[in-house]
Amino acid sequence: MLSRRSLFKVLFAAAAVPLAAGLSSEAEAQYVGPRGAPPPPRREPRPPARRGYTWVPGHWAWRRGPGWVWMPGYWEQNRRGFVYVGPRWVLRRGQWVYEPGRWVRQMR
């Protein structure tokens, strides 16, 4: 009969094996994303201003199957003490990375 401590070790090892098998090293991971820069932004009509809201302009999104897909702009409700920074694509280490829009605390 196994002691409590030995049983714990066996159960822990049994649970750790499937978890470790699912992890891959960074070298083994394959990046599936845009190979080139996103297309230039589309010119979309900006609707009239809405009190209490910020217009978030449309942007290109990368989808594995179809590739670049245009996401139309929309209204985002303002947050007191924050400023909205829109979404953008940036080139990092030779790969295009999407930074979603976010609210940033306004400095006083």
Side-chain angles (χ1 to χ4, degrees), residues 17-99:
V17 170
L19 291 174
L23 300 175
S24 62
S25 71
E26 216 173 306
E28 293 173 16
Q30 291 186 0
Y31 174 72
V32 178
R35 298 287 180 227
R42 285 186 179 175
R43 293 179 74 82
E44 60 182 359
R46 185 182 187 138
R50 281 180 66 185
R51 174 176 251 153
Y53 288 83
T54 296
W55 176 252
V56 177
H59 64 277
W60 290 102
W62 177 258
R63 299 292 184 253
R64 196 173 193 172
W68 293 108
V69 177
W70 180 254
M71 306 301 287
Y74 60 94
W75 290 105
E76 178 86 25
Q77 190 170 10
N78 291 342
R79 297 181 186 177
R80 176 175 262 146
F82 289 82
V83 173
Y84 188 79
V85 177
R88 65 185 185 148
W89 283 92
V90 293
L91 187 60
R92 287 196 191 129
R93 299 181 192 162
Q95 293 180 341
W96 286 96
V97 178
Y98 177 71
E99 289 183 352

